Amino acid sequence: MPLVMSARTSEIFEFNKMMLLYVGTLLIAILALIRFTVYRDVRKHVYLLPLLGFLGTIFLSTSTSVDPHTSIFGHYGRFNGGLISIIAYVVLSITALQIFDKKSINTLLKVSLVSSFIVILWGIPGKLGVDLSCILFTGQYTNACWTADFQPAVRMFSTLGQPNWLGSYLAIHFFIALYFVSPYFLTLINKEVLMSKQKIAFIILTVYGLCNLMGIWFTQSRSSLLALAIALVICAALAISKYKARFFQPLYLTLMLSIVIGIAALIFFPKQLLSTSVRPQEGFFVTDSSEIRKIVWQGSVALGMRYPLLGTGPETFAYTYFLTRPLEHNYVSEWDFIYNKAHNEFLHYFATTGFLGLMMYLVVIIGTLAVIFMQLKKTSIERLDFWFYLSLLGAYLTILITNFFGFSTSTIQLYFYLIPILAITYSLKVHIVETVQFTQLSRQLKMFYGILVFLLIVGLYMITRMYKADMLYAEAKVLIAQDDHQQASVKLVQALANHYEHVYEDKLSGTLAQLAFISSFDDPQTTSELTLMSQQYNLHTISESPYNQQYYRTQAKNYYLYYQSSRNIDDLLQAVKATEAAIKIAPTDPQNYHTLALFYTVLSQESTVKADQAAYAEQARESVRNALRLKPYYVEAQELLKSL
C-alpha cells in the first residue's frame, strides 16, 4: 500500500492508497467469510470489545454529524478517518485475528520491511535533485514536477506524500527491523558463532537500519525523530527492567498514567499548555510549525467543548474548525490554509467525535498497550518472543507520539489497528476444528456463496466508479485552470454520474456560472438556463454541507457573475447575503470581510439612489476595517481602504 500512487487522480498519494485499502478489505472480508464456512473456527479476544465500542461511537457521531456525507466517506482527497475507512480497518483487524500465526506474521513483516526499503530508495534520488516520481509521471529527470510546497531535495517524502508521513512510516519500520536483528544479538550474547547466511542477513538488516535512520533524517520530521528517541528509551528501560522484575510493574503503570494524564491535561488546561506568543507581523515571514499547531489545538479544544458529546462528526474538521478558529491564526504565515485535521489525532477525535469518541479511542490505545505489556511480562528476555513484543511496543509508541503532533494517514492507521492483533496472534497456532467438502455443499451454503459473489461484484463496481469519478474530477480541475469551462462542466457531470461528492457539485456550480457569464454576450436563453442550473447545484451543495464556508463563497462568486450577465442589483445583494453567511461560519476569517467590502464597493458605485450609495460606501469601509481588525497587516484590505 505505501508504494501506490497515481498522477491521474486529484490527490496523488492518499486517495490511491485508500482505494487499494477498500479493494483489499472487500476481498479479504469475502474470503474470510468463506473460510468460516469451511473451518467453523472463530477466535475471540477481549480486545475486540473496545475496538467495536470505538466503531460504535463513530457510527453515533456520524448519525449526528453536521455533514453526514463527509463523515461517511471522509474528507475528500484523504478519506482516511471516515466511517467507511474505520469499518475497513476493524474488518481487517477481526479477519487478521482469525488467520494470523507466527509464520504468517513473520512473512507479513518481512514484506513490509522490503516495501519500506523500496520507499527509502525511491525517495533518495529526489534528495539529490532527480525525483523518481517526476520521471514516472512526466519523464523529467529533475524535481521540477513538484510545486514550491513539495521540495524533495529539502524534505524527502518519497511515495508517502508528505515528509512527516514518511517519517512516521519509517519510525515504525525501524522497530520492525529491530525485531529481525534481535536473533543475531541473542546469538552474540550467548557467545554462539554466526553462520555465513546469518552474517549476510545481519549485514543487510544493519544496512537497512542505517538507511532507515538516514531516511527519517532526510524528512526533517521533528515529531518522527522525537518519537523514535522516546520509544527507544522506553523500550531500553523495559528491557533493562526485565532483569529485575520488581521494576516492571512501576514502569508499566508510569507509562499508562503518563498517557492518560497528558491527554487529560491537554484537554482540561488548554490555556496553560497551548499558550502562544504569535503576534501580527508585517511583510513576508514563516511561522514555526509548532506555533501554528498550538493555535490549531486551541481551536480544536474549543470546538470539542462546543460539541462535547459526539463532536461535529467524523472528518468534518476542515469545515467546523472555522467556528472556533482563534484570532491568532491570522497572524501566522499559513493564515489562509485549510486545515482538514487538528494536527493532533487525540484532539481531532475530541473535536469531531466528542468526549465519547476520544474516550473510546483512548480505551483502544490502553487496550493495545495492555495486550503488549501482558505478553512482555510472560516472556523472558532471552527469548525471541520478548523482542518481538518489545518491537511492537516501540512501533506502536512511535504512532502515538507522531499522531500527537500530527495526524494519521491510511498507511499509519493500518499499523495502528494491526499491531495489537499481531501481539495477540503471535503465539497462537492455526486451529482447524471442522471442514466441509465443497462437493457436499448444502443449498443454503450455495446461496450464501452466491450472495458473497454478488456483494463482491457490487463492491468492486462501486469502488471502480468512485475511482473513475475522481479521475474525471482531476481532469476537470486541469480544464478549469485552462479556462476551458465547457469541457470541464462535461467532466464534472460525468463525475457526479459515477459517484456523488458535493466537492464535484461545487465545482460544477462555479463552472456553470462562468459559462452563463460567457454566453450572456450572445445567447440570453442559454444564460438563463445555465444560471438556473448553477443555482440549483449550489443550493443542493449547501444543503448537503451547510457548515462549509467555501460553498457560500462559491455562491457569492456565482451571484457576482450572474450580476455581470444580468446587471440586476439584486444579484449583488444576494452575493452580500452569501458572504454574510460565510462570516457566520468563519467569524475570524478576514477574507470574508474583505470580499464583503468589495461587494459593498460595487453596490455603492452601481446604485442609482444617492442615499444608498453613501450607505453602501460606509458599509464597505466598516467591512474592510473588520478585516484589518482581524488581520492588521492584510495588504489587500489596506489598499482597498485607501481607495475608499
Side-chain angles (χ1 to χ4, degrees):
M1 197 164 85
L3 298 171
V4 178
M5 56 182 179
S6 172
R8 296 187 62 189
T9 52
S10 62
E11 204 282 338
I12 296 174
F13 303 99
E14 275 294 282
F15 175 77
N16 294 282
K17 290 173 174 55
M18 287 304 302
M19 292 299 103
L20 178 62
L21 175 74
Y22 291 155
V23 171
T25 301
L26 183 62
L27 292 171
I28 290 170
I30 297 295
L31 292 173
L33 289 171
I34 294 174
R35 179 187 181 279
F36 170 73
T37 64
V38 175
Y39 296 122
R40 307 289 177 87
D41 180 23
V42 178
R43 289 176 178 171
K44 301 176 182 178
H45 195 277
V46 68
Y47 172 76
L48 293 181
L49 293 178
L51 189 63
L52 293 173
F54 176 64
L55 178 60
T57 61
I58 298 298
F59 268 105
L60 288 174
S61 182
T62 299
S63 68
T64 61
S65 174
V66 300
D67 186 342
H69 182 87
T70 297
S71 292
I72 292 171
F73 290 95
H75 184 266
Y76 195 80
R78 294 287 188 264
F79 292 94
N80 176 54
L83 175 61
I84 294 177
S85 71
I86 301 298
I87 291 174
Y89 295 124
V90 172
V91 167
L92 288 175
S93 297
I94 294 173
T95 305
L97 179 63
Q98 308 307 315
I99 64 175
F100 276 1
D101 61 1
K102 185 176 291 187
K103 183 179 179 181
S104 60
I105 289 172
N106 281 328
T107 301
L108 176 68
L109 293 181
K110 287 177 182 177
V111 171
S112 185
L113 208 59
V114 170
S115 298
S116 69
F117 194 38
I118 295 173
V119 168
I120 296 170
L121 295 178
W122 188 273
I124 288 176
K127 188 71 178 175
L128 303 175
V130 183
D131 190 75
L132 295 182
S133 296
C134 288
I135 297 175
L136 178 65
F137 297 149
T138 66
Q140 300 177 12
Y141 288 81
T142 65
N143 292 344
C145 67
W146 301 112
T147 64
D149 295 329
F150 295 85
Q151 299 184 45
V154 178
R155 298 184 67 190
M156 189 171 81
F157 53 83
S158 188
T159 62
L160 272 293
Q162 288 189 18
N164 288 332
W165 301 353
L166 176 60
S168 302
Y169 172 74
L170 294 182
I172 293 171
H173 284 82
F174 179 86
F175 286 95
I176 294 176
L178 184 64
Y179 161 60
F180 287 110
V181 169
S182 58
Y184 308 107
F185 286 126
L186 290 175
T187 301
L188 295 174
I189 291 172
N190 296 327
K191 298 181 179 179
E192 298 175 2
V193 179
L194 287 172
M195 303 296 290
S196 297
K197 290 183 178 180
Q198 291 177 318
K199 289 181 180 179
I200 294 173
F202 179 75
I203 292 171
I204 292 173
L205 286 167
T206 302
V207 170
Y208 170 82
L210 293 173
C211 289
N212 181 287
L213 290 172
M214 179 179 65
I216 297 175
W217 181 259
F218 284 165
T219 66
Q220 295 185 23
S221 172
R222 290 179 290 182
S223 61
S224 300
L225 290 168
L226 179 65
L228 185 63
I230 293 175
L232 278 172
V233 169
I234 291 174
C235 288
L238 288 175
I240 294 170
S241 72
K242 220 15 185 173
Y243 287 106
K244 295 182 179 180
R246 66 179 182 274
F247 290 135
F248 191 86
Q249 194 69 16
L251 281 170
Y252 166 75
L253 292 174
T254 300
L255 177 61
M256 303 295 280
L257 287 173
S258 296
I259 293 174
V260 174
I261 292 172
I263 299 302
L266 189 62
I267 293 173
F268 293 108
F269 302 102
K271 291 183 179 179
Q272 289 79 0
L273 294 174
L274 306 182
S275 60
T276 176
S277 59
V278 174
R279 296 289 184 271
Q281 297 183 57
E282 186 174 8
F284 178 79
F285 61 95
V286 177
T287 309
D288 187 80
S289 61
S290 62
E291 292 295 336
I292 299 175
R293 277 185 174 86
K294 287 193 289 185
I295 293 170
V296 177
W297 291 357
Q298 286 179 0
S300 305
V301 171
L303 184 59
M305 290 299 186
R306 181 177 290 196
Y307 298 86
L309 184 59
L310 291 169
T312 60
E315 295 308 292
T316 57
F317 187 83
Y319 318 138
T320 55
Y321 169 64
F322 286 98
L323 294 170
T324 56
R325 179 178 176 271
L327 180 64
E328 291 81 4
H329 202 134
N330 295 322
Y331 306 156
V332 302
S333 55
E334 297 180 1
W335 69 278
D336 55 348
F337 284 28
I338 294 177
Y339 286 79
N340 55 23
K341 298 279 188 178
H343 286 263
N344 181 305
E345 193 79 349
F346 301 92
L347 292 181
H348 183 78
Y349 276 118
F350 177 54
T352 57
T353 63
F355 276 107
L356 187 58
L358 175 61
M359 180 184 70
M360 290 309 303
Y361 182 65
L362 291 175
V363 170
V364 169
I365 291 173
I366 293 171
T368 301
L369 293 174
V371 166
I372 296 174
F373 273 107
M374 283 190 290
Q375 295 294 348
L376 281 170
K377 194 173 182 180
K378 293 177 183 177
T379 57
S380 169
I381 195 171
E382 288 81 15
R383 293 181 56 190
L384 181 60
D385 290 12
F386 173 83
W387 294 97
F388 172 76
Y389 295 121
L390 192 68
S391 297
L392 287 187
L393 175 63
Y396 195 72
L397 288 175
T398 65
I399 294 174
L400 298 183
I401 295 167
T402 54
N403 278 355
F404 185 87
F405 294 101
F407 53 89
S408 64
T409 59
S410 57
T411 307
I412 303 304
Q413 196 86 310
L414 193 59
Y415 288 97
F416 176 85
Y417 283 94
L418 285 183
I419 282 176
I421 304 301
L422 299 180
I424 293 168
T425 57
Y426 185 74
S427 60
L428 300 179
K429 296 181 179 179
V430 175
H431 181 51
I432 301 175
V433 178
E434 180 183 352
T435 60
V436 176
Q437 295 296 325
F438 187 77
T439 56
Q440 299 175 351
L441 292 177
S442 65
R443 182 180 178 183
Q444 291 80 2
L445 205 54
K446 289 179 180 178
M447 290 181 61
F448 179 66
Y449 285 166
I451 293 172
L452 290 181
V453 171
F454 174 75
L455 291 175
L456 176 62
I457 294 171
V458 171
L460 291 175
Y461 176 71
M462 292 177 65
I463 294 170
T464 301
R465 287 176 68 88
M466 286 178 64
Y467 198 81
K468 183 179 179 180
D470 182 80
M471 289 195 295
L472 289 166
Y473 173 60
E475 292 175 18
K477 290 203 299 183
V478 172
L479 290 168
I480 290 172
Q482 297 171 349
D483 288 330
D484 190 349
H485 298 286
Q486 181 67 48
Q487 286 301 313
S489 65
V490 173
K491 296 292 183 182
L492 289 168
V493 169
Q494 292 174 345
L496 282 168
N498 279 276
H499 173 69
Y500 176 78
E501 284 288 346
H502 44 63
V503 174
Y504 305 162
E505 202 169 47
D506 177 63
K507 284 288 185 184
L508 180 56
S509 173
T511 300
L512 291 173
Q514 290 283 354
L515 289 174
F517 169 69
I518 294 170
S519 65
S520 66
F521 294 100
D522 54 16
D523 192 347
Q525 179 63 31
T526 300
T527 299
S528 178
E529 293 173 357
L530 290 171
T531 298
L532 180 60
M533 286 192 294
S534 175
Q535 290 173 335
Q536 290 174 339
Y537 279 121
N538 178 253
L539 289 173
H540 185 258
T541 302
I542 290 174
S543 69
E544 289 291 309
S545 185
Y547 283 83
N548 190 336
Q549 68 151 334
Q550 186 59 47
Y551 296 161
Y552 287 102
R553 288 180 174 181
T554 297
Q555 188 178 72
K557 182 179 178 181
N558 287 354
Y559 270 106
Y560 183 71
L561 286 170
Y562 304 155
Y563 166 73
Q564 295 294 320
S565 304
S566 66
R567 310 309 295 181
N568 186 343
I569 203 167
D570 287 340
D571 287 330
L572 273 178
L573 293 173
Q574 287 295 326
V576 167
K577 185 177 178 181
T579 307
E580 288 174 342
I583 289 173
K584 288 181 180 179
I585 296 172
T588 62
D589 190 339
Q591 295 177 99
N592 292 326
Y593 283 105
H594 177 252
T595 301
L596 187 62
L598 290 172
F599 288 142
Y600 276 129
T601 301
V602 176
L603 279 168
S604 68
Q605 296 168 350
E606 298 295 319
S607 178
T608 58
V609 181
K610 289 187 177 181
D612 289 344
Q613 291 176 356
Y616 289 142
E618 180 55 34
Q619 286 174 311
R621 285 189 287 271
E622 180 62 23
S623 296
V624 79
R625 290 192 194 103
N626 285 331
L628 289 170
R629 175 178 55 82
L630 295 172
K631 185 174 176 60
Y633 299 109
Y634 192 178
V635 176
E636 290 84 353
Q638 289 174 336
E639 292 176 351
L640 179 58
L641 184 61
K642 290 177 183 178
S643 68
L644 295 174

